[in-house]
Amino acid sequence: MEREVISSEEFIDRFVECLKEGKDFRLEDCIVEGDVNTKDIYEKIKEKIRDEERLKEMIEERVEERDYGLFKKKYVVINVNIEIFVIRVEFNGKFLMSYWGKEEIYTEMIIRFNKLVNFSRAIFNEKAYFWEATFVKEVNFKGTNFMGLAIFTKVPFERADFSWTTFNGETRFVEATFEKEANFIGSRFNIVEFYSSIFKSHADFTNISFN
């Protein structure tokens, strides 16, 4: 049976619609074509949600002055207050859960996942970028395949399940923090960095292997 193929635009539209309605986001057994990125999610939220109070709950924004007011930087946090189940989904573009760029001023955007996140048995065929994303509850990447660069730098995890996950490209957990259990049982790595990462509880690397 052929799997459904959707565009990254449709993926983002469905996701933001769930955010708007406060419903859990569920997507299974399909292929997503094109890049999924934080900036497009931010813009779609602004487009779909007009209520100012809802927007303030969902998007936190602040501007800081640097170098005695000569330089300004805008920080944006997108709060995801629904559970996410993305099961056996193949992503054929970049998956970018943080953004840095020059808008009117230099802007940094990240996503804070406030509830359960499940990407089990997903396939990321290009770069998967979670730099400084926050996982407040459990995150599950069990059996997932990262075919390219996988970045989890400066990510705070609560519970993290990377068991039987395959990291085919370079993988970075630089300055990541694992508050509770970190499960890497049976995972396969190519090149991996855990430089300055902190494991505050049990971490299980039983039966890991390297290419």
Side-chain angles (χ1 to χ4, degrees):
M1 184 176 178
E2 289 189 6
R3 289 188 292 170
E4 179 187 14
V5 178
I6 66 172
S7 67
S8 56
E9 291 83 2
E10 184 175 351
F11 177 90
I12 290 170
D13 193 66
R14 291 186 190 183
F15 176 63
V16 173
E17 187 63 28
C18 286
L19 286 177
K20 180 182 177 182
E21 298 298 326
K23 297 179 180 178
D24 295 343
F25 178 65
R26 297 177 182 272
L27 188 68
E28 297 186 20
D29 297 304
C30 74
I31 298 170
V32 179
E33 298 286 357
D35 296 345
V36 176
N37 67 72
T38 302
K39 185 170 182 289
D40 288 344
I41 292 170
Y42 170 83
E43 290 175 351
K44 182 61 71 172
I45 291 171
K46 291 277 193 175
E47 174 189 319
K48 282 201 165 194
I49 300 175
R50 301 293 186 176
D51 184 270
E52 290 297 324
E53 292 304 314
R54 288 289 310 284
L55 276 175
K56 286 178 183 177
E57 291 176 6
M58 200 170 295
I59 297 176
E60 301 173 21
E61 299 182 85
R62 73 180 192 274
V63 175
E64 294 184 359
E65 292 189 353
R66 302 288 184 86
D67 298 331
Y68 304 100
L70 297 176
F71 173 73
K72 290 183 179 181
K73 185 174 182 179
K74 182 179 181 179
Y75 293 90
V76 177
V77 177
I78 299 172
N79 282 300
V80 175
N81 296 316
I82 58 174
E83 293 188 349
I84 295 173
F85 300 88
V86 178
I87 314 297
R88 296 181 301 274
V89 173
E90 184 172 358
F91 294 92
N92 284 334
K94 300 181 183 70
F95 195 83
L96 309 174
M97 292 295 98
S98 51
Y99 168 81
W100 289 265
K102 187 73 166 66
E103 306 298 320
E104 293 179 4
I105 59 175
Y106 185 82
T107 301
E108 176 181 333
M109 295 182 189
I110 63 169
I111 293 187
R112 180 190 294 135
F113 298 96
N114 291 313
K115 294 192 176 182
L116 173 71
V117 176
N118 190 336
F119 280 102
S120 58
R121 297 173 66 185
I123 300 173
F124 295 92
N125 282 317
E126 294 196 36
K127 178 165 65 175
Y129 204 83
F130 290 89
W131 186 302
E132 289 190 333
T134 299
F135 296 100
V136 175
K137 301 292 184 181
E138 180 179 351
V139 60
N140 184 349
F141 285 99
K142 185 175 182 178
T144 293
N145 277 279
F146 293 92
M147 305 305 292
L149 182 65
I151 301 292
F152 294 92
T153 295
K154 295 184 177 181
V155 171
F157 293 96
E158 181 71 2
R159 285 186 173 88
D161 188 351
F162 288 93
S163 59
W164 308 105
T165 298
T166 301
F167 299 92
N168 288 288
E170 184 179 349
T171 305
R172 298 176 195 158
F173 286 94
V174 176
E175 296 182 38
T177 302
F178 297 84
E179 293 288 341
K180 295 182 180 177
E181 294 86 354
N183 185 357
F184 288 88
I185 293 173
S187 288
R188 187 175 184 87
F189 296 95
N190 185 2
I191 299 170
V192 62
E193 267 189 283
F194 284 95
Y195 179 76
S196 291
S197 286
I198 299 172
F199 294 86
K200 294 185 177 182
S201 184
H202 180 68
D204 196 336
F205 288 87
T206 304
N207 292 330
I208 67 167
S209 59
F210 290 84
N211 295 334

